[in-house]
Amino acid sequence: MSGKLTYKQSGVDTIEAQSFVSDISSHVKRTQQARKLCNAFGLFAAAYDLSSYKEPVMVTGTDGVGTKSEILFQMDMIEEAGKDLVAMNVNDILTTGGDPLLFLDYLGISSLEMERTRITRLVAGMCDYLESCNCILAGGETAEMPGVVPAGMIEMAGFSIGCVEKSEMIDPSQLEEGDVLIGYPSDSFHANGWSLVRRVLEQEPDLLTRDEMISLLAPTRLYHDVVTDMRALKVVPRAYAHITGGGLPENLERFLGDRGSDLTIPYWNHPAAQKVLNFVDAEDRFHTFNMGIGWVSIVKPADVEAALKAGPGGSVIGTLRDGKGITVRVAQ
Amino acid sequence: MSGKLTYKQSGVDTIEAQSFVSDISSHVKRTQQARKLCNAFGLFAAAYDLSSYKEPVMVTGTDGVGTKSEILFQMDMIEEAGKDLVAMNVNDILTTGGDPLLFLDYLGISSLEMERTRITRLVAGMCDYLESCNCILAGGETAEMPGVVPAGMIEMAGFSIGCVEKSEMIDPSQLEEGDVLIGYPSDSFHANGWSLVRRVLEQEPDLLTRDEMISLLAPTRLYHDVVTDMRALKVVPRAYAHITGGGLPENLERFLGDRGSDLTIPYWNHPAAQKVLNFVDAEDRFHTFNMGIGWVSIVKPADVEAALKAGPGGSVIGTLRDGKGITVRVAQ
């Protein structure tokens, strides 16, 4: 050995990286049909023109898929992991009344050569969801970190940016006693609380059939349909909430201030989720999982009838009262 | 054991998470002095008002610190890791001519209880750099992933957003033959190429003293000073480049199209970096590391004199010629 090392010898292959960019380019293009970046993909930063907005307010957030990713990868549900990553981020943007415009992903892997097929599938899944809500995959970083990321693992972080006209921004400070909470069904647990799910499945390895496992791993629902319908129906909600870690109580209490509500939610007809919940502390389940309600719109009483038509499956789950705190019971 | 599990038993402590948010709040506040979010910290998404821009174009990117993070953590240089994360992202935003406005971080850890002190230091380091360039820490996600992230590891991804007036956006398509490339010194290798550095250090464990190691791990320089000075001097550059993975050749070729340049850069007076480079393939070093030039401004010939006064240490390293390709030689 001459003692002169190349970058490839250290486990990083930059030629492989360039081919990967061409693998994903057809997927990236799918996300740039109605909306387009105003500079080239692959520059140092992606640019998006907001000059058509009168008084733009940009909105942003970041999230990952947590430990759900490990089970998704074990089950080879790679595309679903991409959808989860998008939904966990885009739903947060939607709570502001904003349009999701741009999405970026950060993927940490041990070897691009080994992971190229899987991360192309991951990006394909992301782009399925992004295309459906008209949001651009504006950039990303796929970091090869041999020795830092365990082999076979893909670390994922997502970032999204949206924009809303200042006059149309949803303002939870306008909430009033008597406003009505409408809940919309989730497709399963969202991408949170999976350390607890994994613990149950370790303790009860034969609890679920393969089909039940797949239904439990359904990607987080994208609530773009609800928000788009609300806009078409000309209902301006008082607030939206995306129900993730912390469940209904924490995700509503974070913006309710001195108000609260005693919620009654429908029984969650999800056999796989119910099997898991049987092994979870009766109180903790409501503070960890969405319990079947993944999205809440809070509207004025006069808007309830219209809001129930926004997206499939909405139902009234409570009304706002004075006094802090959210309680949740399941309808008999 | 009753078989009913709580979330805390599965390794995730939501109360600990709330206290962590209060630990970092004083740092977050430091980044919101001149600029402020227009909604509360801790909502589902952070909002920033762009209505003072005439024709706003938002610019965004994502990056991490790569395998440099592992050595930084081994050396307990936690604050420096936070600075690197910010600089790797904010420098990309600065290449567009935009102001960095918002930054978000995604941190993956195995246990918040174990890592709380270190990630508070990490956020403190991030906020030092963010405060210095007037960029808001707008949000973040600290994901507890027991069993997924190895104990003792912190996975980091950063994400930044800026904004620029459409008329002031830097447009590399305006580049002309004869334009002049000005290089600005780096403080060390940027946060890329460290798999190769680590390989050298494994092969030559006694190569560097502790002080040399610390100087090698200096955080990526934030080139906000150069860009701010350029603006004050009323120099509108044709292009900016942030020199990271791929070195000078790839980071310039990505936007130069059919033009190129034969660069002569000053000898890099960085003893620790030179010691490492001695063990790196003579060609590969220019395609992996910044070789002492971490930022390039390309300006019209008439603007050279003024541009050399922007930020410390700028020097002419070449001129644009027709014909693809960047070559780099070191001045004798």
Side-chain angles (χ1 to χ4, degrees):
Chain A
M1 184 161 198
S2 72
K4 300 280 187 183
L5 290 164
T6 66
Y7 203 27
K8 188 165 181 187
Q9 283 166 337
S10 70
V12 177
D13 186 343
T14 56
I15 306 298
E16 183 88 19
Q18 284 166 17
S19 329
F20 166 66
V21 170
S22 90
D23 286 351
I24 62 168
S25 67
S26 65
H27 296 299
V28 173
K29 268 184 206 146
R30 286 197 280 136
T31 70
Q32 296 198 46
Q33 297 179 64
R35 294 188 170 121
K36 292 191 195 303
L37 294 179
C38 66
N39 66 352
F41 190 85
L43 281 178
F44 298 95
Y48 186 83
D49 188 346
L50 297 174
S51 57
S52 64
Y53 286 81
K54 268 186 264 177
E55 293 188 300
V57 173
M58 66 179 176
V59 287
T60 184
T62 177
D63 209 348
V65 176
T67 54
K68 184 180 179 185
S69 57
E70 196 178 34
I71 311 189
L72 285 166
F73 296 151
Q74 279 165 5
M75 297 285 291
D76 197 39
M77 293 172 68
I78 312 291
E79 289 81 358
E80 285 79 1
K83 291 177 186 176
D84 260 325
L85 188 64
V86 168
M88 289 298 283
N89 280 283
V90 166
N91 285 341
D92 280 350
I93 296 299
L94 293 172
T95 62
T96 64
D99 273 322
L101 298 174
L102 307 180
F103 181 82
L104 297 95
D105 66 293
Y106 174 94
L107 307 175
I109 53 177
S110 61
S111 157
L112 185 54
E113 197 179 347
M114 276 177 52
E115 294 295 358
R116 194 165 144 184
T117 308
R118 289 207 304 165
I119 56 178
T120 302
R121 289 174 57 200
L122 188 64
V123 171
M126 283 166 31
C127 290
D128 286 349
Y129 257 32
L130 289 170
E131 191 179 356
S132 79
C133 66
N134 199 10
C135 181
I136 297 174
L137 181 59
E141 168 74 8
T142 301
E144 247 184 312
M145 305 207 283
V148 174
V149 178
M153 187 62 71
I154 305 176
E155 295 162 3
M156 302 186 287
F159 300 101
S160 57
I161 317 173
C163 195
V164 57
E165 285 292 355
K166 201 169 176 176
S167 60
E168 291 168 17
M169 198 172 156
I170 291 175
D171 180 4
S173 72
Q174 301 301 307
L175 284 162
E176 286 178 12
E177 205 184 325
D179 284 347
V180 178
L181 293 94
I182 300 176
Y184 300 83
S186 60
D187 288 340
S188 182
F189 301 138
H190 287 174
N192 62 272
W194 285 80
S195 293
L196 183 47
V197 176
R198 291 194 315 161
R199 187 72 188 269
V200 169
L201 296 175
E202 277 161 26
Q203 186 184 296
E204 308 290 332
D206 301 321
L207 185 67
L208 302 181
T209 65
R210 189 180 155 79
D211 282 353
E212 284 173 334
M213 194 67 195
I214 290 170
S215 80
L216 196 70
L217 288 163
T220 300
R221 180 176 159 194
L222 197 58
Y223 293 95
H224 190 246
D225 53 352
V226 173
V227 171
T228 307
D229 287 354
M230 290 279 273
R231 209 178 287 172
L233 293 159
K234 303 210 189 302
V235 180
V236 179
R238 304 278 205 177
Y240 283 134
H242 176 207
I243 310 306
T244 59
L248 284 159
E250 275 184 42
N251 284 292
L252 292 168
E253 286 165 6
R254 64 205 278 178
F255 61 84
L256 285 182
D258 287 334
R259 294 203 180 75
S261 186
D262 301 300
L263 307 178
T264 303
I265 60 175
Y267 174 79
W268 192 12
N269 187 17
H270 190 306
Q274 290 293 350
K275 279 190 177 180
V276 170
L277 291 171
N278 280 336
F279 291 90
V280 175
D281 177 82
E283 184 64 19
D284 234 35
R285 58 179 79 164
F286 290 99
H287 291 271
T288 306
F289 301 110
N290 62 62
M291 301 302 288
I293 300 295
W295 183 265
V296 175
S297 305
I298 309 186
V299 299
K300 287 174 278 191
D303 287 331
V304 171
E305 198 180 339
L308 286 170
K309 294 180 193 138
S315 66
V316 172
I317 58 171
T319 53
L320 278 197
R321 57 157 162 69
D322 266 344
K324 275 182 197 258
I326 292 288
T327 65
V328 187
R329 59 182 285 277
V330 177
Q332 298 300 320
Chain B
M1 182 161 196
S2 72
K4 300 281 188 181
L5 290 165
T6 66
Y7 202 27
K8 189 165 180 188
Q9 283 166 338
S10 71
V12 176
D13 186 342
T14 54
I15 304 299
E16 183 88 18
Q18 285 165 17
S19 330
F20 166 64
V21 170
S22 90
D23 285 352
I24 62 169
S25 67
S26 65
H27 297 299
V28 173
K29 268 184 206 145
R30 285 196 282 136
T31 72
Q32 296 197 47
Q33 297 179 63
R35 294 188 169 121
K36 294 193 192 305
L37 294 177
C38 67
N39 65 353
F41 191 86
L43 281 178
F44 298 96
Y48 186 83
D49 188 346
L50 296 174
S51 57
S52 63
Y53 286 81
K54 267 186 263 176
E55 293 187 299
V57 173
M58 65 178 176
V59 288
T60 183
T62 177
D63 209 347
V65 176
T67 53
K68 185 180 179 184
S69 57
E70 198 179 32
I71 311 190
L72 284 166
F73 296 151
Q74 278 164 5
M75 297 283 291
D76 197 39
M77 293 173 69
I78 312 292
E79 289 81 359
E80 285 79 1
K83 290 177 186 175
D84 260 326
L85 188 64
V86 168
M88 290 298 284
N89 281 284
V90 165
N91 285 341
D92 280 351
I93 296 300
L94 293 172
T95 63
T96 64
D99 274 322
L101 299 175
L102 306 181
F103 181 83
L104 297 95
D105 66 292
Y106 173 93
L107 307 176
I109 52 176
S110 61
S111 155
L112 184 55
E113 197 179 346
M114 275 177 53
E115 294 295 356
R116 194 166 145 184
T117 307
R118 289 207 303 164
I119 55 178
T120 302
R121 290 174 56 199
L122 189 63
V123 171
M126 284 167 27
C127 291
D128 286 348
Y129 258 32
L130 289 170
E131 189 179 358
S132 79
C133 66
N134 199 9
C135 180
I136 297 173
L137 181 59
E141 168 74 9
T142 301
E144 245 184 313
M145 306 209 282
V148 173
V149 177
M153 187 62 71
I154 306 176
E155 296 161 3
M156 300 185 288
F159 168 69
S160 58
I161 317 173
C163 193
V164 57
E165 284 293 354
K166 202 170 176 175
S167 60
E168 291 168 18
M169 199 172 156
I170 291 175
D171 180 5
S173 72
Q174 301 300 307
L175 284 162
E176 286 180 11
E177 206 182 325
D179 284 347
V180 177
L181 293 93
I182 299 176
Y184 300 83
S186 61
D187 288 339
S188 182
F189 303 139
H190 287 173
N192 61 272
W194 285 80
S195 294
L196 184 46
V197 177
R198 292 195 312 159
R199 189 69 187 269
V200 169
L201 296 176
E202 278 162 25
Q203 187 184 293
E204 308 290 334
D206 301 321
L207 185 66
L208 302 182
T209 65
R210 190 181 154 80
D211 282 353
E212 285 173 334
M213 194 67 196
I214 290 171
S215 80
L216 197 70
L217 288 165
T220 301
R221 180 177 158 194
L222 198 59
Y223 293 95
H224 189 247
D225 54 353
V226 174
V227 171
T228 307
D229 287 353
M230 291 278 273
R231 208 177 288 172
L233 292 158
K234 303 210 190 302
V235 180
V236 179
R238 303 277 204 177
Y240 283 133
H242 177 208
I243 311 306
T244 59
L248 284 159
E250 275 184 39
N251 284 293
L252 292 168
E253 287 165 5
R254 63 204 281 179
F255 61 84
L256 285 182
D258 287 333
R259 294 203 179 77
S261 187
D262 301 303
L263 307 179
T264 304
I265 60 174
Y267 174 80
W268 192 12
N269 186 17
H270 191 304
Q274 291 293 351
K275 278 191 177 179
V276 171
L277 290 170
N278 280 337
F279 291 90
V280 175
D281 177 83
E283 186 63 22
D284 235 36
R285 59 179 79 163
F286 290 98
H287 291 272
T288 306
F289 300 109
N290 63 63
M291 299 303 288
I293 300 294
W295 183 265
V296 176
S297 305
I298 309 186
V299 299
K300 287 175 278 193
D303 287 331
V304 171
E305 199 181 338
L308 286 170
K309 295 179 193 137
S315 66
V316 172
I317 58 171
T319 54
L320 277 197
R321 57 158 162 68
D322 266 344
K324 274 183 199 260
I326 292 288
T327 65
V328 187
R329 60 180 284 276
V330 176
Q332 296 300 321

